[in-house]
Amino acid sequence: TMADSKALLVLENFIAGKFVPCSSYVDSYNPSTGDVYCRVPDSGKEEVEAAVKAAKAAFPIWSSKSPLERSQILNKLADLIECDLEAFAQAESKDQGKTITFARTVDIPRAAYNFRFFASSILHHKTECTEMAILGCVHYTSRAPVGVAGLIVPWNLPLYLLTWKIAPAIACGNTVVAKPSEMTSVTAWMMCKLLEKAGVPPGVVNVVFGTGTKAGEALVCHPDVPLISFTGSTLTAQRIMEKSAPYCKRLSLELGGKNPAIIFDDADLNQCIPTTLRSSFANQGEICLCTSRIFVQRGIYSEFLKRFVAEAKKWKVGNPSDSAVDVGALISKEHLEKVRSYVKKAQAEGARVLCGEGVDSLALPVGNQKGYFMLPTVIAEVKDESCCMQEEIFGPVTCVVVFDTEEEVIKRANGVKYGLAATVWSSNVGRVHRVAQRLQSGLVWTNCWLVRDLNLPFGGMKASGLGREGGKDSYEFFTEVKTITIKH
Ligand code: NAD
């Protein structure tokens, strides 16, 4: 109705420093109520063309600024996001379904920190120089920004992942065209409102909203966008590789995971259990780094299971804006159905669902009855070949299985197509090193989870990705290196 549509939030693309309306829109839902509350531009070739044109026009001036000038602007942007932290957190929670607590303590602080981190790190890179005295030559490397970077991000950590790409791209002197997920576009649009005040010149950061198949592919196929940094699913990455192949684009791909936690019988369960609950269920299990296969050594298997399930049952599911709630809503109705279907498949295969979906009842507040909620779910006795142990579920579902030996568990942990993040729990330092070395995983956390030093490489092996992101890695991705030889 008219009255309803008037109340909707309507986003606009941000091109060449200006907000521009689009001729068509897609609906965006509030996952905790099931209501359409926002309209997102359904951009296509035309909008992407305008954004790339603006980014190209801004490149000569932006790329010729000194790193220090760019650094000051990035810091200013970080300050402005921090000033509006609460508004950003509220918006992220409403748009994505995540709890307000998670948005306040993880998403938005990290978004601001991404700008601050690259504002600092860009000042400290060194290029290489070697000498060939006998030939009278010195060689040195020089790095320059590449041009217009295309940035495509998913819905699970919207502003966090978007800024993790925008910050290094523009710190290095590139200009960007970014496309957030059509399901979570609000905080990117809010950030655009701060760019001018921070001193980001028009055209340096352009944001085109819309779907992957329309706006995303137009960006991937644009001949004037030589690099694409993508975070999302492995399936979409394959499509992006295919579509960008004729242009030989530089790609950075951060993809899915099927992350194991390996818990040896000498693990400190008082630390391991709360951390493994978080690694399984934080952000509704919608983090690429979330644990979804828990291997527990036989000696502590039954104790672990008993305590883990008892604690999982304490996680409160409900209205994400209630600060006492631990689990918010999943991103969409379709995604909720997909996650639930995995639990059903596991049951059909003879696995035991110990708590959550189909076992416990979920009581929701009146206003949230139509939201996309699900209880944290623990499944035991799942076969390694089961789709629940092989495919990324990306929801609050985790499988617990038993193992006997180190050799055996390494093989089983590596027995999936993914290789993003693994967790190892043991108080035997030798074993921790041994196992960490042999796991096929871009990240291995031992006796902890999600502790990150942004200087160091982040990314996956096998189907979990191509390339790495981080202080040095992002700098290398977003610059073109040249080797120059001088003979005297
Ligand atoms: P997705 O691949 O469906 O979408 C990601 C982005 O790509 C969205 O903006 C989407 O609109 C766009 N897109 C879709 N099809 C496209 C196409 N053909 N061409 C260009 N762009 C296209 O992923 P999602 O469902 O939004 O996110 C969840 C996935 O992201 C999970 O697999 C998760 O593991 C992964 N993820 C990985 C990391 C990491 O750092 N490795 C971090 C977060 C999420």
Side-chain angles (χ1 to χ4, degrees):
T1 68
M2 279 303 280
D4 286 340
S5 66
K6 269 190 192 143
L8 295 184
L9 176 63
V10 181
L11 308 189
E12 292 178 319
N13 287 326
F14 188 72
I15 298 172
K18 291 199 174 65
F19 286 99
V20 279
C22 194
S23 54
S24 60
Y25 291 83
V26 291
D27 289 337
S28 181
Y29 292 79
N30 175 340
S32 70
T33 62
D35 298 327
V36 172
Y37 87 104
C38 172
R39 309 197 75 210
V40 175
D42 184 16
S43 310
K45 277 199 182 123
E46 205 178 302
E47 291 76 14
V48 167
E49 182 59 46
V52 173
K53 200 169 151 225
K56 268 180 86 173
F59 183 73
I61 292 177
W62 183 248
S63 58
S64 61
K65 282 192 189 296
S66 73
L68 185 60
E69 278 176 287
R70 294 196 293 259
S71 168
Q72 283 161 345
I73 292 171
L74 263 67
N75 270 321
K76 186 76 207 281
L77 188 51
D79 292 341
L80 293 172
I81 293 172
E82 268 164 7
C83 277
D84 282 352
L85 192 142
E86 184 57 24
F88 272 104
Q90 297 276 355
E92 202 74 296
S93 168
K94 185 171 182 182
D95 203 24
Q96 206 276 342
K98 64 178 70 226
T99 66
I100 185 65
T101 307
F102 201 83
R104 262 182 203 143
T105 57
V106 180
D107 290 80
I108 310 305
R110 172 63 186 275
Y113 187 68
N114 284 337
F115 285 110
R116 224 178 273 300
F117 174 79
F118 284 104
S120 161
S121 114
I122 194 65
L123 303 176
H124 305 292
H125 294 291
K126 292 195 287 182
T127 50
E128 293 166 272
C129 179
T130 62
E131 218 181 340
M132 278 182 177
I134 204 97
L135 297 176
C137 287
V138 290
H139 309 277
Y140 70 94
T141 59
S142 132
R143 282 195 175 264
V146 185
V148 179
L151 314 177
I152 301 177
V153 292
W155 48 256
N156 64 329
L157 299 165
L159 193 64
Y160 172 135
L161 290 173
L162 179 69
T163 53
W164 174 239
K165 296 190 190 300
I166 293 181
I170 67 172
C172 292
N174 303 281
T175 56
V176 309
V177 176
K179 195 207 79 70
S181 165
E182 65 276 23
M183 289 185 274
T184 53
S185 291
V186 174
T187 49
W189 173 77
M190 289 169 71
M191 182 199 70
C192 292
K193 297 189 202 182
L194 305 178
L195 295 174
E196 188 182 352
K197 200 169 172 198
V200 180
V204 171
V205 175
N206 305 277
V207 183
V208 174
F209 297 101
T211 65
T213 43
K214 245 175 105 182
E217 277 196 31
L219 188 55
V220 167
C221 296
H222 199 293
D224 296 335
V225 179
L227 64 177
I228 299 286
S229 177
F230 169 80
T231 297
S233 66
T234 303
L235 204 63
T236 304
Q238 288 165 346
R239 177 99 182 144
I240 290 176
M241 289 179 95
E242 230 177 275
K243 287 277 163 181
S244 64
Y247 308 95
C248 286
K249 294 196 183 199
R250 182 185 293 201
L251 300 178
S252 169
L253 306 172
E254 295 289 343
L255 316 176
K258 188 66 192 172
N259 310 306
I262 301 176
I263 304 170
F264 287 98
D265 54 16
D266 61 354
D268 175 357
L269 289 186
N270 292 333
Q271 281 189 38
C272 170
I273 288 172
T275 304
T276 307
L277 284 156
R278 274 198 310 119
S279 76
S280 298
F281 304 129
N283 205 48
Q284 300 72 244
E286 296 169 329
I287 306 179
C288 54
L289 308 167
C290 274
T291 302
S292 64
R293 295 182 292 148
I294 306 177
F295 294 91
V296 186
Q297 206 163 16
R298 195 170 301 275
I300 54 164
Y301 179 70
S302 47
E303 185 196 349
F304 175 88
L305 211 52
K306 200 169 116 222
R307 287 173 63 180
F308 188 77
V309 170
E311 291 301 314
K313 284 177 183 242
K314 292 184 190 158
W315 280 51
K316 193 166 176 248
V317 180
N319 189 347
S321 60
D322 175 350
S323 58
V325 158
D326 305 299
V327 182
L330 274 67
I331 186 67
S332 66
K333 196 162 189 279
E334 295 69 32
H335 188 57
L336 175 66
E337 294 308 325
K338 181 186 152 194
V339 175
R340 280 185 170 151
S341 77
Y342 277 102
V343 182
K344 288 212 181 72
K345 280 182 215 165
Q347 269 168 325
E349 288 169 356
R352 274 198 309 141
V353 180
L354 300 177
C355 65
E357 178 67 20
V359 174
D360 300 304
S361 61
L362 172 56
L364 291 167
V366 182
N368 299 105
Q369 301 286 333
K370 291 192 175 137
Y372 318 132
F373 295 92
M374 177 173 172
L375 288 164
T377 300
V378 181
I379 311 179
E381 292 157 34
V382 199
K383 293 192 186 71
D384 284 10
E385 314 78 61
S386 163
C387 61
C388 295
M389 287 285 281
Q390 292 289 328
E391 294 169 21
E392 183 181 48
I393 299 176
F394 220 56
V397 176
T398 198
C399 300
V400 187
V401 294
V402 65
F403 77 92
D404 290 295
T405 70
E406 189 178 310
E407 194 62 30
E408 168 207 340
V409 78
I410 290 169
K411 195 156 169 262
R412 291 172 66 192
N414 288 341
V416 293
K417 70 172 181 174
Y418 295 105
L420 187 55
T423 313
V424 181
W425 292 87
S426 169
S427 52
N428 178 333
V429 77
R431 171 146 71 193
V432 154
H433 281 290
R434 255 189 339 262
V435 174
Q437 291 286 345
R438 293 182 61 195
L439 287 171
Q440 295 166 347
S441 181
L443 303 149
V444 180
W445 279 296
T446 75
N447 300 320
C448 63
W449 178 71
L450 210 60
V451 183
R452 278 272 293 136
D453 177 345
L454 302 188
N455 284 296
L456 300 185
F458 176 96
M461 293 182 183
K462 305 200 284 189
S464 291
L466 206 65
R468 295 291 184 271
E469 296 181 326
K472 184 158 172 280
D473 299 86
S474 298
Y475 172 68
E476 289 177 353
F477 178 75
F478 286 112
T479 55
E480 192 80 77
V481 70
K482 190 182 287 176
T483 301
I484 300 171
T485 303
I486 308 286
K487 183 166 164 57
H488 53 83

